[in-house]
Amino acid sequence: MALNMKTRCTVLLLACSLMFANRACRSGEAALCPIRLEDATASSRITFRHHAGENGQGYIVAGVAAGLALFDFDGDGRIDIFFLNGAPLKGTPGGPWPDALYRNNGDFTFTDVTEAAGVGDLGYGLGVTVGDYDQDGLPDLYLNNFGPNVLYHNNGDGTFSDATSTAAVANGSKVGAGTCFLDADGDGDLDLYAANYVNFTYENHVSIKVGSHFLHAGPRYYKPVEDTLFRNNGDGTFTDVSRESGIASVAGPGMGMVCGDFDDDGDTDAFVCNDEAANFLFQNDGKGHFKESALLAGVAYDFYGKENSSMGADCGDYDNDGKLDLFMTDYQSEMPVLYHNLGGGLFEDATSTAGITNDLYPHVTWGTGFADFDNDGDRDLYVACGHFDRVESFDDRTSLQVPNFLLMNTGDGRFTDVSKLCGSGLAVAESSRGAGFDDLDNDGDIDAVILNWNSKPTILRNESPAGSHWIEIELHGRVTNRDGVGARVRVISGDAVQVDEVHSGRSYQSHSGSRLHFGLAQKVRADRIEVRWPGGKTEIFPGAASGQLVRLFEGAGSPEN
């Protein structure tokens, strides 16, 4: 049947609308994507470069570096950036390559203040987290290294002091991984979880030679190492309680991790990604005793019962049903896994039903995050990709440097791949690792910082069209921990209800998002804000107009009846 031009256009537009619900329509692509992430690296004045620290030896630690942290270290209301760096491994010339701290200037440029702040650690950095461990109102830094870890105490004057020895948290000479602050025992201060990878030393290094090149051996060539839990003693020191807490009852090659109340019982649990092994989910009894229950909960393996080479993790309520879901990245020829929270401490693999794109399958995926980039009231997904050096010599399905992915939430429990539609930032091809997400310019939308392996970072500025509203929330504990880590926040705006939680440590061995961000779509205010502080006490705070950062102090609201 012949169609006139007007009818043809109508049919074409309808077809594009239907296709967009599942994947981006290729006609008029830019107009169909409401998210714009632009590459602002060149104008950011950030000159940091990550160094893997090896010279072709194939040391396993070199491939799994490294994370970053986004946090306001100097209390000026702007989110600053901390990059982990490598160090020369045995047989590698060069260095030193210190970690780097960049102060946010407020105009989307950053100034290197590493030396002045005293945080230029020269160890081999792998994981990092941020938390106020001594309850003085200032965010401190913890580095999970290959070799002794480092705790930097924030002095409040723009400088940090090395408090590792005093606090007793060096954690020996292990190969570090993800790390998180959490109030494990409900006593009001932050304890410290340090995931450990494998028992690697220069003496037991496994060499795998393909042609004339040495490749990185996988974790199965080494013994796994139990993770470490340090209990905060409340006086600036910690005690290793890994054994008595149950954390050291199992051992796995830990990578990224995230802590949250996944069974909604008022205490903080820990999800740990294991590389080429079943994941761990440590369920907390509320007193700091943990039971590993990943198999029973449904997050040890994927839908097919396969243990993944799990890399990074984040949690968030992607379908706005009030429960924290989990997203996990992993190795090539494995799909990243979206674990949908069913309630009661149970999860299901919803990767396929949620429309997570199969284009991720050929790549190694690392840093990740749930974030509402377009402020429409649901959380999108960012996935960082990149392989190991020399992959092209034995595999033509992927490459060392590949673009990252952005999966837009369509609001119906599904995601659509808009990576090629959302601006210059997703066209950057690097070997990405750590990823962090925060509002760097205080304009109400979420920006991104990506640490790229053996290269410069990528700084992404969110320039999505204005129109949707937002609100940001910063918690201040008084009885509970000062950062509000572990607190659950519900924002009610008309018939829309959103849930989020304050986390310390997430993504791939990184930290970001201490200030909670909620997109409100066309709602001009949040009508009601509820905060369930760690330990279970709930307070109700009055609503607030959109377009602002709201600071909520424990005890200033009204107790829930």
Side-chain angles (χ1 to χ4, degrees), residues 278-300:
N279 302 316
F280 293 152
L281 178 62
F282 290 105
Q283 288 187 313
N284 193 342
D285 69 353
K287 300 178 181 179
H289 301 106
F290 293 85
K291 180 180 180 181
E292 203 293 293
S293 58
L295 178 61
L296 293 176
V299 296

Side-chain angles (χ1 to χ4, degrees), residues 124-300:
Y124 200 99
L126 293 168
V128 59
T129 192
V130 174
D132 181 8
Y133 77 92
D134 58 348
Q135 299 283 74
D136 64 354
L138 302 169
D140 308 300
L141 267 174
Y142 185 70
L143 317 183
N144 201 2
N145 291 339
F146 167 43
N149 295 347
V150 176
L151 176 64
Y152 282 120
H153 174 259
N154 193 327
N155 299 321
D157 59 359
T159 69
F160 292 78
S161 298
D162 188 339
T164 314
S165 179
T166 301
V169 290
N171 203 30
S173 296
K174 299 180 176 68
V175 178
T179 180
C180 293
F181 281 108
L182 72 157
D183 185 359
D185 50 7
D187 65 352
D189 52 31
L190 291 178
D191 310 299
L192 180 58
Y193 191 118
N196 301 310
Y197 191 40
V198 294
N199 181 25
F200 165 81
T201 65
Y202 291 120
E203 290 70 29
N204 69 5
H205 167 55
V206 176
S207 297
I208 297 180
K209 193 171 186 180
V210 176
S212 59
H213 302 300
F214 288 102
L215 305 180
H216 298 102
R220 290 180 178 172
Y221 288 89
Y222 304 92
K223 292 182 179 180
V225 177
E226 299 90 348
D227 293 342
T228 307
L229 181 65
F230 294 104
R231 185 188 66 220
N232 193 326
N233 298 323
D235 59 358
T237 68
F238 292 79
T239 299
D240 186 340
V241 293
S242 309
R243 292 289 174 190
E244 50 264 52
S245 68
I247 294 297
S249 62
V250 290
M255 294 286 268
M257 66 173 298
V258 63
C259 293
D261 186 3
F262 302 121
D263 51 6
D264 202 20
D265 63 352
D267 53 44
T268 301
D269 313 300
F271 176 72
V272 183
C273 294
N274 284 322
D275 191 2
E276 294 190 12
N279 302 316
F280 293 152
L281 178 62
F282 290 105
Q283 288 187 313
N284 193 342
D285 69 353
K287 300 178 181 179
H289 301 106
F290 293 85
K291 180 180 180 181
E292 203 293 293
S293 58
L295 178 61
L296 293 176
V299 296

Side-chain angles (χ1 to χ4, degrees), residues 382-394:
Y382 190 100
V383 183
C385 304
H387 215 292
F388 298 100
D389 203 8
R390 306 178 191 88
V391 61
E392 293 91 346
S393 66
F394 62 88

